[in-house]
Amino acid sequence: MNIILLGPPGAGKGTQAQRLVAERGMTQLSTGDMLRAAVKAATPVGLKAKAVMEAGELVSDEIVSGIIGEALDALDVGAGVIFDGYPRTAAQAHSLDGILSDRGRTLDHVIELDVDEDALVERITGRFTCATCGAGYHDTFKQPKVAGECDVCHGHEFKRRPDDNEETVRTRMAEYRAKTAPILPIYEERGIVSRVDGMADIDDVAKAIDAILD
Ligand code: AP5
Ligand code: MG
Ligand code: ZN
């Protein structure tokens, strides 16, 4: 089973992907996470991507499709893949078709997280993650069970993303509207798009996604 989680910044793609990994053993491929790791390691890709990401613009199609292909070959993806934040342009959607068919894989579902843009700034500016294991949290909507301690790895260090400020979020939303939302019809034509109310509670969004996958 291979699925795409599609939605604007803060829609909950990463939150739901992490849950599917934990509950179903699927593999999350987040181009955002992979690019952030490349920036941190100062690889050639990271050096190219850093300023683009901090501005909230899109990294080149060539770079992101390259890292998706490499990740698919390097990881155990037996239980299926969740594409999180990829594809984001028509060119990437086209590349993904080739990447999957070269590997004998198909796309089963495209799940669109339908959200109210006004609420997303609050979600994004309140977001933080565990510095050790990457588990995602929110100041208001998803606090760790024990204050200051990660639920998953019990680490005590957390971090915030440099692009999670209001100004950059607005640019990221504009990029989504202009370049990513227009790829939906490609998948609608194939009859594989499902829409989920992304404004519901995290657990209810999870239930709606499970109903699509089961
Ligand atoms: P990326 O990392 O993909 O960021 P994004 O698309 O802006 O999405 P986010 O990660 O911000 O949101 P999310 O949907 O994962 O939300 P989350 O679950 O964390 O990309 C970053 C940058 O990398 C891009 O701007 C671009 O420069 C580059 N890039 C990446 N991929 C690329 C590509 N394919 N092509 C070109 N460039 C690329 O949730 C947000 C917060 O809300 C969390 O705190 C969470 O706890 C909370 N929350 C989640 N769900 C709910 C809910 N239902 N109710 C209440 N709170 C909730
Ligand atoms: Mg994310
Ligand atoms: Zn952790």
Side-chain angles (χ1 to χ4, degrees), residues 49-214:
K50 186 170 189 287
V52 180
M53 292 174 77
E54 279 174 9
E57 289 160 9
L58 293 186
V59 175
S60 81
D61 291 334
E62 205 186 359
I63 287 181
V64 292
S65 292
I67 61 176
I68 282 285
E70 282 168 23
L72 272 177
D73 292 335
L75 298 169
D76 175 7
V77 291
V81 177
I82 309 147
F83 294 98
D84 161 5
Y86 178 90
R88 258 174 152 98
T89 63
Q92 291 178 26
H94 181 72
S95 294
L96 180 60
D97 285 341
I99 287 168
L100 289 173
S101 69
D102 286 351
R103 291 163 179 80
R105 292 185 156 261
T106 50
L107 204 52
D108 300 284
H109 297 281
V110 175
I111 300 177
E112 185 196 5
L113 297 169
D114 192 15
V115 282
D116 168 6
E117 273 200 13
D118 293 335
L120 298 183
V121 173
E122 188 190 2
R123 280 198 191 174
I124 285 186
T125 52
R127 168 168 58 188
F128 60 98
T129 55
C130 171
T132 311
C133 76
Y137 298 97
H138 192 280
D139 293 330
T140 314
F141 306 124
K142 195 185 176 208
Q143 292 259 20
K145 291 190 182 96
V146 177
E149 182 177 306
C150 175
D151 298 349
V152 180
C153 75
H154 307 292
H156 291 92
E157 222 183 295
F158 297 90
K159 59 182 183 183
R160 293 183 190 256
R161 278 170 44 179
D163 60 342
D164 278 354
N165 57 77
E166 179 156 359
E167 191 194 341
T168 308
V169 170
R170 299 276 176 208
T171 307
R172 284 157 57 195
M173 282 175 184
E175 290 281 77
Y176 180 82
R177 254 182 267 121
K179 297 172 187 161
T180 308
I183 71 175
L184 263 170
I186 300 175
Y187 300 114
E188 269 159 358
E189 259 176 42
R190 299 181 198 171
I192 57 171
V193 176
S194 306
R195 235 168 232 105
V196 164
D197 175 12
M199 294 313 295
D201 286 348
I202 294 176
D203 289 343
D204 292 325
V205 177
K207 279 184 202 138
I209 292 176
D210 284 341
I212 294 162
L213 302 185
D214 289 334

